[in-house]
Amino acid sequence: MKLWDKGFSTDKKIDHFTVGNDRELDLLLAKYDVIASKAHAKMLGKIGLITAQEAENLVKELSAIAKTIEEGSFVIEDSFEDMHSKIEFVLTEKLGDTGKKIHTARSRNDQVLVAMHLYLKDELQEIKSEVKVLFNLLLNLADKYKNVLLPGYTHLQIAMPSSFGLWFSAYAESLIDDLYFVDAAYKIADQNPLGSAAGYGSSFPIDRDFTTKEMGFASQKYNVVAAQMGRGKVEKAAAFGISNVAATLSKMAMDICLYMSQNFNFISFPDELTTGSSIMPHKKNPDVFELIRGKCNKLQAIPNQLILITNNLPSGYHRDLQLVKEVIIPAIQDIKACLEILTFSLKEVRVNETILEDPKYDYLFSVDTLNELVLSGIPFRDAYKKMGKEINEGTFAPKKDIKHTHQGSLGNLCLQEIRDKLID
C-alpha cells in the first residue's frame, strides 16, 4: 500500500531502491507520527472537516496504535512503504471511510517533517540530560582529586603542573559549550511544520495554532515553503550539536588511552572495564575508550554528510531528503551510547596520586621557580636566562611548593562557578 497509489504498480526493483531502510528507521519515528496524527485529527474535528465523533474515533484508534508501538508489537511489513501508509491502513481497517479521512489537509512531506521535529526534540533533550550526568560526575571527580598533581603537556612535551582537578573540570566546562549547540538545535526543532503539506500549504482552513499547542511546540514554522526547506536543516542542526559533544568525548577518550599506558601510568581501571590480548597475557587494553574515540570521530563527520546531501537542492521537496534519516538517527543512538559508557566507566577510574615523585617531572616546576625569581626583583628576561642556564648545566633545583590562586587555576578551580554556568 502506498499513500500515492493511483491504481498501478511500480517495478519491484524501483520499490526496493526508493524505500531503502525507511521501514526500520520508521519504527523509531512511528510514535511521533501517531502524536502528530492525533493532533491533526482533533484539528480536523475542530474546524468541521470531519465530525466530532469521527475525530474521537480516530484519536481512540491512534492511541491503540501508540500502545502497540510502546509494547514493541508494531511492525511495518514489506507490503507497506513506510510508517504513514501502515498507520493509515490500520485506521482504515478499523474505521472504514473515517480512517481514509486522516490524510485530509496534509502531505507525507509535512507528516515526516513533524515526526522528525518531535523525535529530535525528545532525543536532544535526552542527550542533554545524559551530558549533564557526565558533567556532574566530572565535577565531583575534580573536587575529589583537586589536590593530586598531574603533568601538563604542550607539544606532548612536559610543560607545567596541572592537576586532576583541572583535567576533570576542563572537560566538564567544555561540555557546557557543547550544550549551547544542542540547545540551538532544540530551538530549531521546536517549531511546528505541520500544515505546510507538500510545501505550499492547503486550501482547507486548517488551524495551525491548535496543532502547535496540542503537540507542545514553542512556535510554528509559519512560512510553508520555509517549513519544507527545514527538511535536512533541522537534522543538520542536531548533527552539529551531536558533533560538538562527540569532539569533547573523543578528546577525553584519547587522553584516557594515553594516561592508561605504562609510559604514563596516570590512571587505571578495574580489569572488568578493560580487555585482553589473544597472545599477550599481560595486556589490559582500553578498548572501550578507543571505540568511544573512533565512534565520536565518525560522528564529527555527520554534519558534512548532511551538507553534501542537501547543499545544492533548490526549494521544494526532493527525494534526496529521505537519506537524511539514515544519517541522523544512527548518529543519535551512537552519541547516547558513548555518553552512557563513558559515564559508566569513569565512575570506576583509579588515579595515581604519586605521579610527580618521578624526577623526570622536575622540569614541570621551571616556570614557577622562574616566577619566584621575578617576585624577588629580577627582571623576567634575566630570570629566564638564569633558569635556562641552570637547566642546561644540570643544577636546576625545582620549587615544588607552588601557589596558583587566580580564577580557573589549579589552586582555584571555580567548580561552583562552572556548575552555575550549566544551562538549565
Side-chain angles (χ1 to χ4, degrees), residues 49 120 138 154-155 158 161 167-168 201 364 374 420:
L49 282 179
L120 288 175
L138 290 169
T154 62
H155 308 276
I158 293 169
W167 184 64
F168 284 122
L364 286 170
V374 173
D420 292 342

Side-chain angles (χ1 to χ4, degrees), residues 139-257:
L139 282 190
N140 290 340
L141 289 169
D143 188 47
K144 181 177 180 179
Y145 296 109
K146 62 187 175 185
N147 296 320
V148 180
L149 293 183
L150 174 72
Y153 289 79
T154 62
H155 308 276
L156 279 179
Q157 304 291 305
I158 293 169
M160 291 179 65
S162 181
S163 70
F164 280 100
L166 268 182
W167 184 64
F168 284 122
S169 60
Y171 281 105
E173 191 165 8
S174 292
L175 287 172
I176 297 174
D177 295 341
D178 303 333
L179 287 180
Y180 293 150
F181 285 89
V182 174
D183 271 4
Y186 184 91
K187 192 170 184 179
I188 292 169
D190 202 13
Q191 302 173 91
N192 176 24
L194 186 62
S196 57
Y200 301 98
S202 172
S203 59
F204 292 111
I206 58 175
D207 187 342
R208 296 189 65 204
D209 279 336
F210 177 86
T211 57
T212 297
K213 293 184 178 70
E214 188 70 20
M215 290 183 285
F217 283 104
S219 182
Q220 60 176 281
K221 206 65 177 282
Y222 290 100
N223 184 293
V224 291
V225 176
Q228 186 54 240
M229 289 195 298
R231 183 87 186 270
K233 188 172 185 178
V234 65
E235 292 91 344
K236 189 163 42 176
F240 275 113
I242 289 167
S243 69
N244 274 274
V245 175
T248 299
L249 302 194
S250 176
K251 186 180 286 290
M252 186 169 204
M254 181 61 198
D255 276 0
I256 291 171
C257 290

Side-chain angles (χ1 to χ4, degrees), residues 363 384-396:
Y363 291 130
Y384 181 90
K385 289 178 180 178
K386 181 178 185 300
M387 191 63 52
K389 183 180 178 183
E390 290 179 3
I391 290 170
N392 287 334
E393 293 175 349
T395 60
F396 170 66

